[in-house]
Amino acid sequence: MSTRTYDHWIDGREYAPSGRQHIERHSPAHGGLLARFAEGSAQDVDIAVERAKALHVSRAWSSLPGSERAKLLSRLADLIERDAERLAEIEAEEVGKPIIYARGEVSWAAELTRFAASLAWQIKGEAYTHLGDDRLGLVTREARGVVGLIVPWNFPLVCLFQKLPYALAAGCPVVIKPSELTSGSALEVARLAAEAGFPAGLINIVTGRGEVVGERLTRHPDVSMISFTGSTRVGKQIAASAAGDLTRVALELGGKAANVVFADADLEAALDGVLFGVILNQGEECVAGTRLLIEESVADEFVARLVERASRVVVGLPLDDQTQIGALIHEQHLHSVLGYIEVGRQEGARLLCGGERLTQGSLGKGYFVGPTIFTEVRPEHRIFREEIFGPVLTVTRFKTVDEAIELANDTLYGLGNGLWTKDLDKALAVSQKLQSGTVYVNTYLESAPQLPFGGFKQSGYGRENGVDGLHEFLEVKATFIKTGPRTPVLPNTLG
Ligand code: NAD
């Protein structure tokens, strides 16, 4: 694919950045220039918010019947599927991830859009009809207003589509701020939305840096809500900035998921799930299952087989269909991951495989690290506690169910966890005690659009997907209606 150059997308068309500057994105896998994204300013954000607000005030979108909004969402899903391969290539190239997983990401984005369309048909309230013959209570749900969507670089489409179709279904115009590293797929989607027939001003995109574009969006007085996905560090800053005007905030933040494997599990399936959980997206994944907790009685054999399997994982260029691990996002992040590996060694954990930059053959110009497994990892080790965001797995043994639960919950995060056992009673009992927004049982990272996604503890608040994901973008209103002949409220003073 040739180098792509994008401006912002505002009011249904391309919009040159006020500063006339673009940010270059080079491939993390081979160094070639992939794309140029407009470098946005606070002024650009103001223009986008103004257009979105004008659409909201006109009620041209929010007052459309939900079924009409649903039609357009379904059309967008069709167009995403039509252009799936192009979108997957952009996603794979800009992130550095394997094309096989980028394809899955695109089809998940289309599926989420279809599901959100189905919700648009069903937005409803309640009527309280037993308040007395002359009284009626209505509870209705209204579009919140202009919503700022801020997304990270690791899953540009998935993170966007866990927000965008729901906001649109609810009737809200949006201003999107993609990551400055991976803005291409969002800008392509904006063009598809125009082709589908969405009104101008509904979907606006201002690209650029977080400290400029993101910061202005979170402080803008006409933005009613910020839905943010990214690091816990930036999430805390955003919550603080938004507090000035009490702007509503939904936060999808970092994680440090455990995969708990009991001796009575289907160990063959668990091997696959554990490995997939840590290599997907090079481990640059908020719900990456980076802490293996393994029952002592099967630990030696399980870990030996895991290391053998990890040695067969194909590390390669993003657009190669054989590749299972692509490149890390940029050089600084490569050094951060290698730095954690060094910390693990110094803390006394034992490195079983991986642990270094790969440079052979076609990997020479990129930021590649293969599956890396540390054993003898204790809860006080930094590699057990901190989000590494690379394909690095820690192994810790347990003897009892209670010990497994305690280890899994021994983290500031609470996004997801996995557990493996054939005993369904045990699975339910343990899943109830795991402090995370999602628990995967006998699988990892599988889900359905109907299920809400979000974090406990410092993994954030608010939910995406499911009906809860729609409700994030709806404001609740109570209307009390007096019907029939008037009875004075204060009979002695009002005539
Ligand atoms: P990040 O927090 O650095 O950036 C996320 C987005 O916020 C980017 O678009 C960035 O430009 C913007 N931003 C940065 N500073 C800002 C500021 N001061 N004000 C407003 N916006 C600002 O995260 P990242 O490095 O892009 O992504 C990796 C992180 O995202 C990891 O911690 C990962 O766990 C998390 N993540 C969470 C989920 C989830 O669903 N919980 C999903 C994917 C990624």
Side-chain angles (χ1 to χ4, degrees), residues 37-228:
F37 306 123
E39 176 151 18
S41 62
Q43 192 188 332
D44 299 337
V45 175
D46 290 353
I47 293 165
V49 173
E50 185 199 312
R51 302 299 149 84
K53 185 183 172 192
L55 183 76
H56 187 64
V57 169
S58 76
R59 304 191 77 247
W61 181 246
S62 60
S63 70
L64 273 186
S67 55
E68 292 298 314
R69 298 202 292 269
K71 258 185 223 160
L72 289 170
L73 284 164
S74 301
R75 218 175 280 159
L76 176 61
D78 290 342
L79 295 176
I80 290 171
E81 280 165 354
R82 183 196 70 191
D83 289 0
E85 193 58 19
R86 175 176 163 76
L87 289 168
E89 281 180 19
I90 291 174
E91 202 77 342
E93 282 200 319
E94 289 180 12
V95 182
K97 69 173 74 188
I99 184 87
I100 50 167
Y101 298 135
R103 287 189 188 117
E105 200 179 332
V106 175
S107 62
W108 179 240
E111 204 164 320
L112 292 173
T113 307
R114 289 195 199 290
F115 174 66
S118 77
L119 294 180
W121 280 85
Q122 301 181 53
I123 299 172
K124 59 180 188 274
E126 296 102 50
Y128 285 86
T129 55
H130 282 242
L131 306 178
D133 272 354
D134 58 349
R135 292 149 169 227
L136 177 63
L138 291 181
V139 179
T140 51
R141 294 186 167 78
E142 299 176 1
R144 274 204 199 285
V146 177
V147 182
L149 309 180
I150 304 180
V151 288
W153 48 259
N154 61 336
F155 286 97
L157 271 180
V158 166
C159 292
L160 179 60
F161 275 80
Q162 295 202 165
K163 306 175 188 302
L164 176 66
Y166 298 91
L168 300 180
C172 299
V174 299
V175 178
I176 300 166
K177 167 22 202 135
S179 165
E180 53 273 41
L181 300 165
T182 57
S183 306
S185 54
L187 289 154
E188 296 287 335
V189 163
R191 284 156 179 75
L192 295 182
E195 186 183 339
F198 284 91
L202 183 66
I203 299 175
N204 306 280
I205 302 184
V206 181
T207 53
R209 307 202 186 271
E211 325 72 81
V212 181
V213 174
E215 179 73 18
R216 176 61 186 154
L217 204 50
T218 53
R219 290 184 190 274
H220 200 295
D222 291 328
V223 172
S224 308
M225 175 181 174
I226 293 288
S227 175
F228 171 80

Side-chain angles (χ1 to χ4, degrees), residues 1 48 100 144 185 206 290 330 377 395 416 419 422:
M1 221 182 275
I100 50 167
R144 274 204 199 285
S185 54
V206 181
T290 53
H330 50 55
V377 178
V395 182
L419 70 93
K422 284 186 191 156

Side-chain angles (χ1 to χ4, degrees), residues 115 119 166 448-453 464-471:
F115 174 66
L119 294 180
Y166 298 91
Q450 294 91 328
L451 299 189
F453 180 78
E464 299 189 329
N465 300 344
V467 177
D468 301 87
L470 173 80
H471 283 181

Side-chain angles (χ1 to χ4, degrees), residues 459-478:
S459 290
Y461 41 72
R463 288 294 178 269
E464 299 189 329
N465 300 344
V467 177
D468 301 87
L470 173 80
H471 283 181
E472 290 287 337
F473 299 104
L474 291 166
E475 202 61 88
V476 179
K477 179 181 278 179

